[in-house]
């Protein structure tokens, strides 16, 4: 898919799939490496049967060369301006039999997060979510559920918009693709964890790309924003540990600018 077509889909549908971002010859090793990072680091569980590891880059760098894939950065720069930064790097494993998740839009549009743009939010692209298919995604394996076009709404089911977050939505579909593909969507798009009905874990990775002008410091442990809006209020918010300096130094040159803002002191 070329840039114009991808931008067209993102504008109208809110999502599209880029195929072959990780070559078939590499994706098996990366899947095993990410799975091992989740399982050896005691990753958190958000939905029953789903394993996750936030701040994944501190634990595993096997996938790092692909984060600066030109097709992804061209889309991100066209929609967000330059420079673009990575805000989240989280591994997600749907184990066979996992529960369905709840409809939500991602940070900063999730109204349950301490840091959010209050609904009704303005109609602009402010954050991009990518879900990396380290296993093949399908209706059977638990390919992410999306509601096409929902990014054009100024609210989402976390914001009491009349849609039950726990129930199927009539126009929902599964994002599907071969291992090595990347689902990219406007973070306002309504989406949900899907049940994995296959016999194998579905391994994925959520990487989010933010514009330079969006304040993401609430995600950083110890920041003023996090202290004020999460620690002092007891609110709920995602956390992304900073990248250790030796890990940052080891990153490929094109990837370093994406994490320069998030290196541990
Ligand atoms: O792993 C998936 O398919 C969906 C994950 C998700 O909903 C999220 O990271 O916000």
């Amino acid at each position: 898919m070329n840039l114009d077509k991808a931008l067209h889909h993102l504008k109208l549908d809110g999502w599209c799939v880029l195929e072959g971002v990780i070559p078939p010859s590499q994706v098996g090793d990366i899947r095993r490496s990410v799975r091992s990072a989740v399982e050896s680091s005691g990753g958190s569980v958000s939905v029953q049967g789903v394993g996750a590891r936030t701040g994944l880059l501190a634990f595993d760098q096997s996938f790092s060369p692909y984060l600066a894939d030109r097709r992804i950065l061209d889309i991100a720069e066209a929609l967000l301006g330059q420079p673009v930064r990575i805000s989240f790097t989280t591994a997600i494993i749907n184990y066979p039999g996992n529960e369905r998740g709840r409809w939500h839009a991602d940070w900063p549009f999730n109204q349950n997060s301490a840091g959010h743009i209050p609904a009704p939010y303005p109609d602009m692209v402010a954050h991009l979510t990518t879900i990396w298919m380290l296993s093949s995604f399908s209706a059977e394996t638990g390919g992410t559920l999306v509601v096409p076009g929902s990014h054009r709404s100024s609210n989402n089911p976390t914001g009491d918009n009349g849609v039950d977050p726990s129930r199927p939505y009539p126009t929902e579909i599964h994002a599907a693709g071969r291992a090595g593909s990347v689902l990219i969507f406007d973070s306002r798009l309504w989406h949900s964890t899907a049940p994995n009905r296959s016999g194998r874990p579905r391994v994925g990775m959520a990487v989010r790309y933010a514009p330079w002008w969006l304040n993401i410091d609430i995600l950083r442990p110890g920041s003023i924003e996090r202290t004020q809006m999460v620690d002092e209020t007891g609110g709920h918010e995602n956390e992304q540990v900073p990248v250790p300096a030796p890990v940052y130094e080891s990153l490929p040159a094109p990837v370093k600018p994406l994490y320069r803002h998030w290196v541990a002191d």
Side-chain angles (χ1 to χ4, degrees):
M1 181 174 318
N2 66 26
L3 177 61
D4 283 348
K5 198 161 179 204
L7 292 174
H8 180 78
H9 280 298
L10 280 158
K11 187 173 176 191
L12 290 183
D13 309 325
W15 67 288
C16 66
V17 172
L18 306 174
E19 291 188 342
V21 176
I22 302 177
S25 58
Q26 303 298 313
V27 74
D29 285 348
I30 293 174
R31 176 173 61 243
R32 283 183 281 278
S33 189
V34 167
R35 183 175 173 189
S36 152
V38 173
E39 293 174 357
S40 64
S41 67
S44 59
V45 176
S46 49
V47 177
Q48 196 59 40
V50 175
R53 171 75 265 159
T54 62
L56 176 66
L57 192 69
F59 299 86
D60 183 32
Q61 299 85 46
S62 61
F63 50 86
S64 64
Y66 303 102
L67 297 173
D69 177 86
R70 219 36 263 174
R71 278 183 296 166
I72 296 177
L73 291 187
D74 283 349
I75 293 170
E77 289 170 3
L79 293 172
L80 305 173
Q82 292 188 49
V84 160
R85 314 186 293 184
I86 288 181
S87 50
F88 292 74
T89 318
T90 304
I92 305 167
I93 305 183
N94 294 13
Y95 290 99
N98 72 287
E99 275 183 4
R100 184 188 167 106
R102 294 168 71 81
W103 291 118
H104 61 284
D106 273 348
W107 191 94
F109 301 102
N110 186 322
Q111 304 295 299
N112 294 327
S113 297
H116 65 269
I117 302 175
Y121 31 80
D123 181 14
M124 67 179 294
V125 188
H127 204 205
L128 289 173
T129 298
T130 60
I131 308 267
W132 293 58
M133 305 182 188
L134 302 179
S135 310
S136 65
F137 276 31
S138 67
E140 194 201 355
T141 64
T144 312
L145 283 163
V146 300
V147 178
S150 55
H151 66 300
R152 290 187 250 127
S153 169
S154 59
N155 198 353
N156 68 80
T158 64
D160 224 1
N161 71 341
V163 172
D164 184 341
S166 63
R167 297 200 51 85
Y169 192 79
T171 57
E172 72 184 34
I173 56 172
H174 290 271
R178 280 193 287 271
S181 306
V182 173
L183 161 65
I184 180 164
F185 59 88
D186 185 317
S187 298
R188 293 173 295 175
L189 188 78
W190 307 357
H191 63 284
S192 164
T193 296
N196 176 358
R197 301 196 173 90
S198 77
R200 291 187 180 174
R202 190 227 67 175
V203 184
M205 195 169 68
V207 180
R208 300 190 178 87
Y209 293 80
W212 64 268
W213 42 264
L214 183 65
N215 183 348
I216 57 176
D217 281 351
I218 193 170
L219 306 173
R220 185 193 288 265
S223 70
I224 292 170
E225 286 85 346
R226 195 169 183 90
T227 304
Q228 185 177 2
M229 297 167 69
V230 182
D231 303 338
E232 291 175 1
T233 63
H236 165 77
E237 187 51 270
N238 301 280
E239 185 178 271
Q240 291 286 313
V241 291
V243 179
V247 170
Y248 177 75
E249 289 308 327
S250 74
L251 293 174
V255 178
K256 280 187 175 166
L258 300 172
Y259 284 104
R260 188 172 167 182
H261 62 292
W262 215 253
V263 183
D265 294 333

